[in-house]
Amino acid sequence: MIIGIAGGTGSGKSTVVRKIIAQLPAEQVSVLPQDSYYKRAPKGYSIEDLRKMNYDHPDAFDWELLEEHVRKLRAERAIRQPVYSVLTCDRCEETILVKPSKVIIIEGIMALYRKELRDMMDLRIYADPDERLIRVINRDVVERGRTASIVMERYLHTLKPMHREFIEPTKEYADIIIPQGGENEKAIGILRSYLDQVLCGLP
């Protein structure tokens, strides 16, 4: 079973994933974060130039590689998942071995954007924004070393318009919409129970 979980930056989709799989056997679930599939950094760019690039546009992702990996996992073949560094704005040399499992979760801001990827999904979920700006500021300041003013400017001039143009419209493709993202314990509980039943029925 292939599940896609989309939603804007800071919408709580990663929290939804963590809470859904928290009580499921680890060997039965594989998670593919879309953030791992950013394209390689172009040659000759300084780190300052790379940080100014728009990573909230569909062209920032290596769709072909992501879709190839999903097809391989569905065919019960292991993959080497890329590792992306937000500090260097590039992929690392190491990769992560991901083995086939009964449930594959694709999580990212544009997990539902591309039709070729959507068509491989059995269940599509959209986490609705809830205090996204606060979450983005906390994450980018604490984890990524950015100043609050830089985060605010990026949110207003990049994240917000990209969300309106490319991410929010994908809500129409969702089978389930989770208001309040990772804070919606009732919705997450229902999904977890559903997955329990699915796993019991899968060979």
Side-chain angles (χ1 to χ4, degrees):
M1 184 176 192
I2 300 175
I3 301 172
I5 301 183
T9 298
S11 63
K13 57 190 175 299
S14 297
T15 304
V16 170
V17 173
R18 285 197 300 272
K19 289 185 176 181
I20 287 176
I21 68 176
Q23 297 177 5
L24 300 176
E27 70 278 2
Q28 293 187 347
V29 182
S30 299
V31 179
L32 297 184
Q34 193 178 19
D35 285 358
S36 297
Y37 290 86
Y38 279 116
K39 291 178 179 177
R40 298 298 306 252
K43 300 294 184 182
Y45 280 62
S46 67
I47 188 65
E48 289 77 16
D49 290 334
L50 291 174
R51 287 175 178 169
K52 293 176 183 177
M53 294 179 69
N54 185 356
Y55 294 95
D56 292 81
H57 190 281
D59 291 346
F61 295 99
D62 189 342
W63 294 101
E64 288 74 18
L65 181 61
L66 174 56
E67 290 161 12
E68 176 189 338
H69 282 182
V70 174
R71 285 192 293 268
K72 284 184 176 179
L73 288 172
R74 189 169 58 177
E76 299 186 5
R77 296 163 58 193
I79 64 166
R80 302 295 312 192
Q81 179 182 296
V83 175
Y84 188 85
S85 170
V86 296
L87 298 178
T88 64
C89 301
D90 199 3
R91 288 184 195 167
C92 304
E93 292 303 319
E94 66 267 23
T95 57
I96 298 174
L97 176 65
V98 179
K99 296 180 179 180
S101 58
K102 291 184 177 181
V103 176
I104 301 166
I105 298 178
I106 307 161
E107 177 263 318
I109 58 173
M110 296 187 193
L112 303 183
Y113 177 79
R114 192 163 151 113
K115 184 179 185 301
E116 291 85 348
L117 194 59
R118 289 198 308 271
D119 287 347
M120 290 189 274
M121 297 174 182
D122 301 290
L123 182 65
R124 306 173 189 92
I125 299 170
Y126 186 92
D128 237 5
D130 176 46
E131 299 179 341
R132 288 195 306 122
L133 179 56
I134 296 174
R135 296 185 186 189
V136 169
I137 291 176
N138 287 336
R139 182 199 64 192
D140 284 7
V141 171
V142 174
E143 297 179 14
R144 301 181 179 179
R146 295 171 177 161
T147 65
S149 60
I150 290 176
V151 174
M152 284 288 292
E153 182 178 357
R154 178 171 174 266
Y155 180 86
L156 292 173
H157 295 97
T158 301
L159 295 183
K160 192 172 182 179
M162 292 298 99
H163 178 84
R164 286 178 173 173
E165 184 173 358
F166 297 113
I167 300 171
E168 190 167 16
T170 67
K171 185 190 299 186
E172 69 174 284
Y173 303 116
D175 302 303
I176 299 172
I177 296 174
I178 302 181
Q180 302 174 350
E183 304 304 317
N184 194 326
E185 297 291 346
K186 288 185 179 179
I188 292 170
I190 292 171
L191 283 170
R192 190 184 295 132
S193 298
Y194 172 72
L195 279 181
D196 281 336
Q197 295 176 12
V198 169
L199 287 171
C200 290
L202 288 174

PDB file of all heavy atoms in Angstrom, residues 12-13 27 34 39 65 68 76 86 92 94 104 113 175 196:
ATOM      1  N   GLY A  12       2.585  20.296   9.694  1.00  0.00           N
ATOM      2  CA  GLY A  12       2.493  19.185  10.632  1.00  0.00           C
ATOM      3  C   GLY A  12       2.454  17.822   9.986  1.00  0.00           C
ATOM      4  O   GLY A  12       2.207  16.819  10.657  1.00  0.00           O
ATOM      5  N   LYS A  13       2.740  17.741   8.675  1.00  0.00           N
ATOM      6  CA  LYS A  13       2.664  16.448   7.996  1.00  0.00           C
ATOM      7  C   LYS A  13       3.703  15.450   8.501  1.00  0.00           C
ATOM      8  O   LYS A  13       3.426  14.254   8.605  1.00  0.00           O
ATOM      9  CB  LYS A  13       2.785  16.622   6.480  1.00  0.00           C
ATOM     10  CG  LYS A  13       4.042  17.314   6.022  1.00  0.00           C
ATOM     11  CD  LYS A  13       3.972  17.671   4.547  1.00  0.00           C
ATOM     12  CE  LYS A  13       5.190  18.467   4.124  1.00  0.00           C
ATOM     13  NZ  LYS A  13       5.307  19.750   4.876  1.00  0.00           N
ATOM     14  N   GLU A  27       9.442  -2.786  10.471  1.00  0.00           N
ATOM     15  CA  GLU A  27       9.765  -3.499   9.228  1.00  0.00           C
ATOM     16  C   GLU A  27       8.608  -3.513   8.238  1.00  0.00           C
ATOM     17  O   GLU A  27       8.778  -3.912   7.081  1.00  0.00           O
ATOM     18  CB  GLU A  27      10.191  -4.941   9.541  1.00  0.00           C
ATOM     19  CG  GLU A  27       9.082  -5.858  10.031  1.00  0.00           C
ATOM     20  CD  GLU A  27       8.783  -5.713  11.518  1.00  0.00           C
ATOM     21  OE1 GLU A  27       9.424  -4.862  12.172  1.00  0.00           O
ATOM     22  OE2 GLU A  27       7.901  -6.445  12.010  1.00  0.00           O
ATOM     23  N   GLN A  34      10.067  13.550   0.798  1.00  0.00           N
ATOM     24  CA  GLN A  34      10.321  14.230  -0.474  1.00  0.00           C
ATOM     25  C   GLN A  34      11.536  15.151  -0.383  1.00  0.00           C
ATOM     26  O   GLN A  34      12.213  15.385  -1.388  1.00  0.00           O
ATOM     27  CB  GLN A  34       9.087  15.013  -0.901  1.00  0.00           C
ATOM     28  CG  GLN A  34       9.154  15.490  -2.344  1.00  0.00           C
ATOM     29  CD  GLN A  34       7.899  16.234  -2.769  1.00  0.00           C
ATOM     30  OE1 GLN A  34       7.117  16.704  -1.948  1.00  0.00           O
ATOM     31  NE2 GLN A  34       7.695  16.351  -4.066  1.00  0.00           N
ATOM     32  N   LYS A  39      16.989  18.140  -6.144  1.00  0.00           N
ATOM     33  CA  LYS A  39      18.024  17.941  -7.156  1.00  0.00           C
ATOM     34  C   LYS A  39      19.406  18.288  -6.605  1.00  0.00           C
ATOM     35  O   LYS A  39      19.536  19.046  -5.635  1.00  0.00           O
ATOM     36  CB  LYS A  39      17.737  18.819  -8.387  1.00  0.00           C
ATOM     37  CG  LYS A  39      16.517  18.387  -9.181  1.00  0.00           C
ATOM     38  CD  LYS A  39      16.280  19.328 -10.342  1.00  0.00           C
ATOM     39  CE  LYS A  39      15.077  18.907 -11.173  1.00  0.00           C
ATOM     40  NZ  LYS A  39      14.793  19.863 -12.267  1.00  0.00           N
ATOM     41  N   LEU A  65      13.647  10.307 -10.157  1.00  0.00           N
ATOM     42  CA  LEU A  65      14.288   9.406  -9.208  1.00  0.00           C
ATOM     43  C   LEU A  65      13.301   8.952  -8.133  1.00  0.00           C
ATOM     44  O   LEU A  65      13.260   7.765  -7.769  1.00  0.00           O
ATOM     45  CB  LEU A  65      15.496  10.086  -8.560  1.00  0.00           C
ATOM     46  CG  LEU A  65      16.275   9.236  -7.550  1.00  0.00           C
ATOM     47  CD1 LEU A  65      16.844   7.993  -8.212  1.00  0.00           C
ATOM     48  CD2 LEU A  65      17.385  10.060  -6.899  1.00  0.00           C
ATOM     49  N   GLU A  68      10.952   6.440  -9.651  1.00  0.00           N
ATOM     50  CA  GLU A  68      11.676   5.186  -9.889  1.00  0.00           C
ATOM     51  C   GLU A  68      11.815   4.385  -8.598  1.00  0.00           C
ATOM     52  O   GLU A  68      11.623   3.164  -8.583  1.00  0.00           O
ATOM     53  CB  GLU A  68      13.067   5.484 -10.465  1.00  0.00           C
ATOM     54  CG  GLU A  68      13.926   4.250 -10.659  1.00  0.00           C
ATOM     55  CD  GLU A  68      15.359   4.603 -11.020  1.00  0.00           C
ATOM     56  OE1 GLU A  68      15.597   5.729 -11.523  1.00  0.00           O
ATOM     57  OE2 GLU A  68      16.249   3.755 -10.794  1.00  0.00           O
ATOM     58  N   GLU A  76       9.073  -4.820  -4.797  1.00  0.00           N
ATOM     59  CA  GLU A  76       9.800  -5.546  -3.752  1.00  0.00           C
ATOM     60  C   GLU A  76      11.306  -5.571  -3.996  1.00  0.00           C
ATOM     61  O   GLU A  76      11.984  -6.564  -3.749  1.00  0.00           O
ATOM     62  CB  GLU A  76       9.243  -6.965  -3.596  1.00  0.00           C
ATOM     63  CG  GLU A  76       7.780  -6.987  -3.197  1.00  0.00           C
ATOM     64  CD  GLU A  76       7.280  -8.386  -2.900  1.00  0.00           C
ATOM     65  OE1 GLU A  76       8.085  -9.331  -2.915  1.00  0.00           O
ATOM     66  OE2 GLU A  76       6.070  -8.527  -2.657  1.00  0.00           O
ATOM     67  N   VAL A  86      20.337  20.449   4.305  1.00  0.00           N
ATOM     68  CA  VAL A  86      19.843  21.820   4.172  1.00  0.00           C
ATOM     69  C   VAL A  86      20.955  22.824   4.465  1.00  0.00           C
ATOM     70  O   VAL A  86      20.840  23.999   4.102  1.00  0.00           O
ATOM     71  CB  VAL A  86      18.649  22.077   5.115  1.00  0.00           C
ATOM     72  CG1 VAL A  86      17.466  21.210   4.733  1.00  0.00           C
ATOM     73  CG2 VAL A  86      19.037  21.847   6.574  1.00  0.00           C
ATOM     74  N   CYS A  92      24.223  14.604   0.082  1.00  0.00           N
ATOM     75  CA  CYS A  92      25.432  14.062   0.692  1.00  0.00           C
ATOM     76  C   CYS A  92      25.904  12.860  -0.124  1.00  0.00           C
ATOM     77  O   CYS A  92      25.185  12.341  -0.972  1.00  0.00           O
ATOM     78  CB  CYS A  92      25.157  13.633   2.133  1.00  0.00           C
ATOM     79  SG  CYS A  92      24.480  14.953   3.183  1.00  0.00           S
ATOM     80  N   GLU A  94      26.652   9.898   1.176  1.00  0.00           N
ATOM     81  CA  GLU A  94      26.051   8.670   1.677  1.00  0.00           C
ATOM     82  C   GLU A  94      24.581   8.574   1.268  1.00  0.00           C
ATOM     83  O   GLU A  94      23.941   9.579   0.964  1.00  0.00           O
ATOM     84  CB  GLU A  94      26.175   8.574   3.201  1.00  0.00           C
ATOM     85  CG  GLU A  94      25.383   9.623   3.971  1.00  0.00           C
ATOM     86  CD  GLU A  94      26.202  10.851   4.299  1.00  0.00           C
ATOM     87  OE1 GLU A  94      27.198  11.117   3.600  1.00  0.00           O
ATOM     88  OE2 GLU A  94      25.828  11.566   5.243  1.00  0.00           O
ATOM     89  N   ILE A 104       4.236   1.918   2.157  1.00  0.00           N
ATOM     90  CA  ILE A 104       5.205   2.943   1.754  1.00  0.00           C
ATOM     91  C   ILE A 104       4.539   4.299   1.906  1.00  0.00           C
ATOM     92  O   ILE A 104       3.466   4.537   1.334  1.00  0.00           O
ATOM     93  CB  ILE A 104       5.658   2.748   0.294  1.00  0.00           C
ATOM     94  CG1 ILE A 104       6.290   1.380   0.108  1.00  0.00           C
ATOM     95  CG2 ILE A 104       6.636   3.848  -0.119  1.00  0.00           C
ATOM     96  CD1 ILE A 104       6.458   0.993  -1.363  1.00  0.00           C
ATOM     97  N   TYR A 113       1.453  16.520  -5.919  1.00  0.00           N
ATOM     98  CA  TYR A 113       1.497  17.470  -7.037  1.00  0.00           C
ATOM     99  C   TYR A 113       1.524  16.772  -8.398  1.00  0.00           C
ATOM    100  O   TYR A 113       0.813  17.167  -9.313  1.00  0.00           O
ATOM    101  CB  TYR A 113       2.723  18.372  -6.908  1.00  0.00           C
ATOM    102  CG  TYR A 113       2.893  19.336  -8.068  1.00  0.00           C
ATOM    103  CD1 TYR A 113       2.135  20.497  -8.146  1.00  0.00           C
ATOM    104  CD2 TYR A 113       3.813  19.075  -9.084  1.00  0.00           C
ATOM    105  CE1 TYR A 113       2.270  21.372  -9.204  1.00  0.00           C
ATOM    106  CE2 TYR A 113       3.960  19.949 -10.154  1.00  0.00           C
ATOM    107  CZ  TYR A 113       3.193  21.093 -10.210  1.00  0.00           C
ATOM    108  OH  TYR A 113       3.339  21.951 -11.275  1.00  0.00           O
ATOM    109  N   ASP A 175      -7.753  12.166  -0.542  1.00  0.00           N
ATOM    110  CA  ASP A 175      -8.884  11.359  -0.079  1.00  0.00           C
ATOM    111  C   ASP A 175      -9.283  11.787   1.332  1.00  0.00           C
ATOM    112  O   ASP A 175     -10.452  11.705   1.698  1.00  0.00           O
ATOM    113  CB  ASP A 175      -8.503   9.873  -0.061  1.00  0.00           C
ATOM    114  CG  ASP A 175      -8.063   9.380  -1.430  1.00  0.00           C
ATOM    115  OD1 ASP A 175      -8.852   9.517  -2.385  1.00  0.00           O
ATOM    116  OD2 ASP A 175      -6.932   8.870  -1.543  1.00  0.00           O
ATOM    117  N   ASP A 196      -3.707  -0.540  10.701  1.00  0.00           N
ATOM    118  CA  ASP A 196      -3.641  -1.811  11.426  1.00  0.00           C
ATOM    119  C   ASP A 196      -4.460  -2.871  10.695  1.00  0.00           C
ATOM    120  O   ASP A 196      -4.028  -4.020  10.515  1.00  0.00           O
ATOM    121  CB  ASP A 196      -4.171  -1.649  12.861  1.00  0.00           C
ATOM    122  CG  ASP A 196      -3.157  -1.012  13.779  1.00  0.00           C
ATOM    123  OD1 ASP A 196      -1.945  -1.105  13.500  1.00  0.00           O
ATOM    124  OD2 ASP A 196      -3.563  -0.389  14.774  1.00  0.00           O
TER     125      ASP A 196
END
